[in-house]
Amino acid sequence: MSTNAIGIVGLGLMGCDVAAIFLAAGWHVQAAEPDSANWDARRERVSVSVGQLGGDFRSERLRVVESVEALEWQNIKLVIEAAPEQLELKQKIFAELDRLVPPHIPIGSNASGFRITDISCSCQSRNRMANLHFFAPAHLVPVVEVVRGEFTDPAVTEALYDIMKTVGRMPVRVNRDVPGFLANRIQHALMREVFAVIDEGLGTVEDVDTAVRYGFGFRYVAAGPILQKEFAGLDTHISAARSIYPSLSTSAEPSLILEEVVSEGRLGMKTGRGFWSWTPEQIRQERERYERTLLAALKLLRESRASTEQ
Ligand SMILES: NC(=O)c1ccc[n+]([C@@H]2O[C@H](COP(=O)([O-])OP(=O)(O)OC[C@H]3O[C@@H](n4cnc5c(N)ncnc54)[C@H](O)[C@@H]3O)[C@@H](O)[C@H]2O)c1
């Protein structure tokens, strides 16, 4: 039985799902979460996510404590910070981790916007710190970006990469610490054009979702964008690129429509309204459908991968 353990700092939305990944892989989890009023709810969430991964949630393998100081380092192989996205808070947590975590243990941050170079800049042991960027829901989306900061020792990113493979993830190495790392740069390039299309009245929000989800997005479960172009022919692609690129958005600012809805407090499901309106029951149903579909896609991806590895 494995006695490997992970330390997680912040057992919120992402921390819970990261905990589930490791528990489902047979690891132990110790989590530092100051909001003790929510511990039961978080344990329940972790339990459901472990179940979705086909694992058996064993309560004694998840130890939740109030602070980093209360973590026990004996079996911990890595620490992942998943506290709120505030630079000062993350810098404070990393200063604490710098001081308290034994030097041989690598430390990752799940920050989605802040560079590890900036989070760890004042830490003495910043060479063992990297971004370890998961995508929500972290237990269902297989990719995790392992980002080397300006101070990160390459051996640390390799160790993190190997651990991610061990627990069934699809790690991707990102060799420079740039905003958005690798995947979010691509995603935001798409989203800039998505909102430009709506701003310009080329189509509705429904048209955009349909075109991506039932069009080129649908293909991505079977092939990434480069492999897909190998099927389609790179000559066709370059010719389309030459004619389309000149008219694509190059705006350095978010679109008018996006600024407008956000300034009206329409933030999506969390405020009950974004581009659509949401009742709590609709949110519950949509989330269930979303996760069910992701799980089915995950199963297909695993089968497809297994068949290419045979
Ligand atoms: N939610 C997403 O879709 C998503 C996706 C990728 C990355 N991320 C990143 O993951 C990180 C966590 O996001 P989240 O959505 O889980 O946030 P969240 O607010 O759900 O969870 C954060 C948790 O950290 C706890 N916390 C606060 N201060 C702390 C401290 N000093 N020490 C330990 N824990 C503390 C909070 O009580 C909370 O439970 C952020 O950096 C976010 O940008 C989020």
Side-chain angles (χ1 to χ4, degrees), residues 63-278:
R63 176 171 178 255
V64 187
V65 295
E66 274 186 349
S67 67
V68 171
E69 268 167 353
L71 296 174
E72 289 167 2
W73 303 110
Q74 203 180 1
N75 294 319
I76 291 186
K77 300 289 185 279
L78 80 162
V79 171
I80 298 181
E81 170 272 322
E85 187 78 4
Q86 298 155 21
L87 184 58
E88 272 184 28
L89 174 67
K90 287 191 187 285
Q91 285 173 332
K92 193 169 144 260
I93 291 172
F94 267 71
E96 204 181 8
L97 296 172
D98 188 29
R99 194 165 45 83
L100 294 174
V101 183
H104 64 282
I105 301 176
I107 304 172
S109 171
N110 187 41
S112 33
F114 301 122
R115 303 182 324 142
I116 192 64
T117 307
D118 301 322
I119 295 172
S120 67
C121 61
S122 305
C123 296
Q124 274 196 345
S125 64
R126 57 195 185 185
N127 64 329
R128 52 137 164 194
M129 298 170 177
N131 275 103
L132 209 51
H133 183 232
F134 293 82
F135 294 78
H139 63 303
L140 298 182
V141 181
V143 151
V144 50
E145 293 178 294
V146 184
V147 187
R148 170 135 52 101
E150 286 172 25
F151 310 116
T152 315
D153 181 343
V156 167
T157 42
E158 284 313 297
L160 290 171
Y161 183 95
D162 290 345
I163 293 174
M164 289 302 129
K165 282 218 126 170
T166 314
V167 296
R169 298 289 104 186
M170 289 287 283
V172 169
R173 293 181 185 87
V174 184
N175 293 326
R176 265 189 311 123
D177 198 3
V178 289
F181 313 134
L182 184 153
N184 271 340
R185 293 180 77 79
I186 299 169
Q187 187 178 205
H188 278 270
L190 169 75
M191 292 308 288
R192 175 166 62 186
E193 196 56 38
V194 156
F195 287 116
V197 159
I198 297 164
D199 264 355
E200 289 161 16
L202 216 58
T204 63
V205 290
E206 287 82 5
D207 294 331
V208 164
D209 270 11
T210 302
V212 175
R213 187 170 168 216
Y214 294 91
F216 67 87
F218 177 69
R219 299 190 299 225
Y220 288 159
V221 175
I226 313 276
L227 177 57
Q228 196 280 323
K229 294 303 168 210
E230 296 273 329
F231 281 115
L234 295 167
D235 53 335
T236 310
H237 180 71
I238 199 170
S239 158
R242 285 203 178 100
S243 84
I244 296 170
Y245 280 14
S247 65
L248 293 180
S249 172
T250 55
S251 170
E253 300 294 330
S255 79
L256 293 175
I257 184 85
L258 185 59
E259 292 283 13
E260 196 179 298
V261 295
V262 170
S263 71
E264 288 173 9
R266 292 160 53 191
L267 308 185
M269 290 182 182
K270 66 171 139 181
T271 56
R273 191 158 177 230
F275 286 96
W276 298 283
S277 294
W278 300 100

